[in-house]
Amino acid sequence: MRLRTLQDDPRHAWTPFQASDTDPWDLDRVAHLHRRAGFSPSWEVLQRDLEEGPEASIDRLLHGEPEALDGSPAASFDNLMDALARGPGAAAGPTGLQASWLYRMIHTPFPLRERMTLFWHDHFATSVEKVNEPSLMRQQNELLRRHALGSFADLLRSMAKDPAMLLWLDATASKKEHPNENYAREVMELFTLGRGHYSERDVQEAARAFTGTFVVQGRYRHDSREFDAGEKSILGQTGSFDGDAVASILLDQPACARFLCRKLFALLLSEVDEPSDALIDPLADAYRNSGYDTMVPVSMILHSRLFFDPSMRRKRVKSPVEFAVGTIRALEIVSPTVSTNELAEACSRMGQRLFAPPSVAGWDGGPAWINTTTTLARSNTILALMNDRRRFDPEALPARHGQADDPAAFYTKLLVQETLSSEVRNRIKGSAREVATLVLTSPEYQLA
């Protein structure tokens, strides 16, 4: 018989976490918070957040740090990164886009915002392989970041007019005589409701509402002459709907908030547990009642007892980007940092090529990240970092934090905390370089 857990008790699951003698605010909880809501943290961040408690730690992730890791003020860093992406990043093609985004993730004062931008990049999966216009992919990336923790309603309406998305779905010329159904189908199946919550007739009627849509020279255009202004019936509602009205109809469906909150559950809590409707409904209700402010369910999850319950740890496989960026941030390889062009290639070898998800459904994620080839690629990425003596000294890092006498204990606490069994922990021996490599290539480190 399965034991009851917090997941069986939604009322208590979503109540705010309160540290106590039996549930202390400890290193495991601090590291868990950063792995899920950002990237693996540095020793200094771990110790600061351990000292300052959950409220201050969560608040910094939700709203950002005052400075980037390169020391520049947060707003200045954002402006510089935007300028780099628009200039050298987009001009260098797909690799330049990938490199500029990775650089931003490594140094960002807003790690949660970048994680959510990555989440929406997978949700609204669009590939430069087909769009073939790096500048349009860069614009879409800016759109995702702008709404990453803001209004999903605004993001959804904007995505229907995003040139990269429309090129990706062959929806660049939808006329009233020949409505293109691609966007109408994906917006229901993949972006809002999920299968089983709409009919083929709903797709056909919604496609009529998206007519008059064109992409001309990389820009969205609406041609009222090609718009079908007739009456449509979609999900039980009838009217002369346009694309914005379809978005409102979809957002009104209870299935929409549930669908999105199940994806947030997988992102922030667990990829292996299938949450019940009873567990998801309070989260979904809060999301709908907020007008789809994504900050609301994300904050509710991060503050919850369920989030900090030990049963939620290590229930996600780190994506290649989480793995790479988190490792660099944790090891403080920021000045100088790695070549982000080379890092982009490493992420591709590990199975995640930014701006080029494999299909409209995005990456499979979860256990699919790990196979013989990608495990070897992860190990090679770590070995390359360990051998880059100009950028990283495994002896110097623990010494910098007063832990030079026991590098094995330092790297274990920094990277995996109490996860390793005593048997495995006893095998973590050798020089600082050797113990760091053993921990970074351990199965436990691959999990978030």
Side-chain angles (χ1 to χ4, degrees):
M1 185 176 69
R2 187 174 72 88
L3 294 174
R4 281 179 62 83
T5 69
L6 262 181
Q7 293 192 56
D8 301 314
D9 186 355
R11 188 169 65 87
H12 286 97
W14 300 122
T15 55
F17 168 78
Q18 298 287 337
S20 66
D21 290 342
T22 53
D23 291 313
W25 179 244
D26 55 16
L27 204 62
D28 289 279
R29 286 192 163 93
V30 178
H32 171 73
L33 172 64
H34 283 274
R35 283 196 306 271
R36 296 297 177 83
F39 302 100
S40 296
S42 67
W43 182 260
E44 185 179 0
V45 169
L46 275 174
Q47 299 305 314
R48 179 200 63 185
D49 287 359
L50 184 62
E51 174 71 21
E52 296 189 9
E55 278 299 324
S57 306
I58 296 168
D59 188 68
R60 273 191 288 266
L61 284 163
L62 290 172
H63 302 290
E65 303 268 1
E67 292 183 351
L69 265 61
D70 65 2
S72 59
S76 300
F77 176 81
D78 260 357
N79 292 336
L80 177 61
M81 291 301 102
D82 289 344
L84 285 174
R86 288 171 186 157
T95 302
L97 281 179
Q98 295 160 10
S100 60
W101 193 5
L102 286 167
Y103 186 93
R104 184 173 204 148
M105 284 192 264
I106 289 169
H107 294 88
T108 183
F110 303 107
L112 175 58
R113 189 185 65 183
E114 291 309 312
R115 284 293 303 278
M116 290 302 297
T117 304
L118 187 59
F119 169 77
W120 294 122
H121 176 45
D122 186 41
H123 183 81
F124 291 106
T126 306
S127 175
V128 71
E129 293 286 344
K130 182 174 178 180
V131 174
N132 204 29
E133 287 285 349
S135 63
L136 299 185
M137 296 300 298
R138 189 265 306 161
Q139 289 174 30
Q140 187 189 80
N141 187 252
E142 287 183 359
L143 173 66
L144 298 174
R145 181 171 295 104
R146 189 159 59 247
H147 297 294
L149 281 163
S151 168
F152 176 75
D154 289 348
L155 178 57
L156 182 64
R157 292 189 175 95
S158 297
M159 200 54 73
K161 301 167 186 172
D162 178 66
M165 173 61 74
L166 297 174
L167 282 165
W168 168 241
L169 293 179
D170 298 315
T172 55
S174 188
K175 304 176 182 178
K176 59 184 173 184
E177 297 301 326
H178 301 286
N180 185 305
E181 295 182 5
N182 287 358
Y183 185 78
R185 187 178 309 283
E186 305 307 356
V187 77
M188 292 186 186
E189 179 178 334
L190 297 174
F191 304 160
T192 58
L193 304 180
R195 291 180 179 173
H197 296 285
Y198 61 90
S199 69
E200 189 63 21
R201 182 65 177 169
D202 291 321
V203 172
Q204 294 166 354
E205 292 285 274
R208 292 175 55 210
F210 287 110
T211 53
T213 294
F214 293 84
V215 175
V216 180
Q217 296 182 332
R219 293 176 180 271
Y220 168 80
R221 290 283 185 271
H222 181 76
D223 186 342
S224 58
R225 296 167 301 178
E226 293 294 345
F227 173 64
D228 182 344
E231 195 169 78
K232 300 119 183 155
S233 293
I234 303 170
L235 294 165
Q237 298 188 42
T238 301
S240 301
F241 302 129
D242 60 10
D244 282 352
V246 172
S248 297
I249 292 170
L250 295 172
L251 294 165
D252 281 344
Q253 307 299 307
C256 179
R258 288 197 190 110
F259 177 74
L260 295 168
C261 286
R262 284 184 180 279
K263 295 193 74 167
L264 290 173
F265 185 96
L267 174 74
L268 297 170
L269 286 160
S270 171
E271 291 175 329
V272 298
D273 297 308
E274 182 62 33
S276 66
D277 285 346
L279 184 62
I280 287 296
D281 278 350
L283 205 59
D285 290 345
Y287 203 10
R288 285 187 74 198
N289 293 337
S290 72
Y292 285 89
D293 180 351
T294 301
M295 181 70 86
V296 170
V298 169
S299 177
M300 188 170 162
I301 291 172
L302 298 186
H303 282 93
S304 70
R305 290 181 63 190
L306 181 60
F307 180 81
F308 288 109
D309 191 81
S311 67
M312 290 292 102
R313 293 175 198 160
R314 311 285 175 186
K315 286 201 167 181
R316 291 188 67 257
V317 178
K318 290 176 183 171
S319 76
V321 168
E322 289 175 63
F323 173 81
V325 173
T327 300
I328 291 165
R329 288 175 67 105
L331 299 182
E332 304 176 32
I333 310 174
V334 294
S335 182
T337 192
V338 300
S339 160
T340 49
N341 279 0
E342 293 177 7
L343 192 66
E345 292 174 6
C347 288
S348 296
R349 289 193 292 272
M350 290 187 275
Q352 190 171 30
R353 186 165 180 243
L354 289 174
F355 296 99
S359 75
V360 70
W363 288 280
D364 290 340
W369 289 127
I370 301 293
N371 58 46
T372 306
T373 302
T374 59
T375 299
L376 179 62
R378 286 183 183 226
S379 295
N380 287 338
T381 300
I382 294 303
L383 291 174
L385 285 176
M386 291 297 112
N387 291 325
D388 189 348
R389 295 172 186 272
R390 187 170 70 88
R391 294 184 173 87
F392 179 61
D393 181 347
E395 306 280 351
L397 184 61
R400 188 153 66 240
H401 297 292
Q403 307 286 318
D405 58 330
D406 193 347
F410 172 78
Y411 281 111
T412 300
K413 289 178 183 175
L414 172 66
L415 300 168
V416 292
Q417 297 79 49
E418 300 301 320
T419 305
L420 300 180
S421 67
S422 57
E423 181 183 352
V424 174
R425 195 181 295 270
N426 289 336
R427 293 203 297 266
I428 306 294
K429 296 177 179 175
S431 67
R433 186 179 306 280
E434 289 167 335
V435 299
T437 303
L438 285 169
V439 175
L440 289 163
T441 55
S442 67
E444 290 81 0
Y445 185 68
Q446 315 311 308
L447 303 176

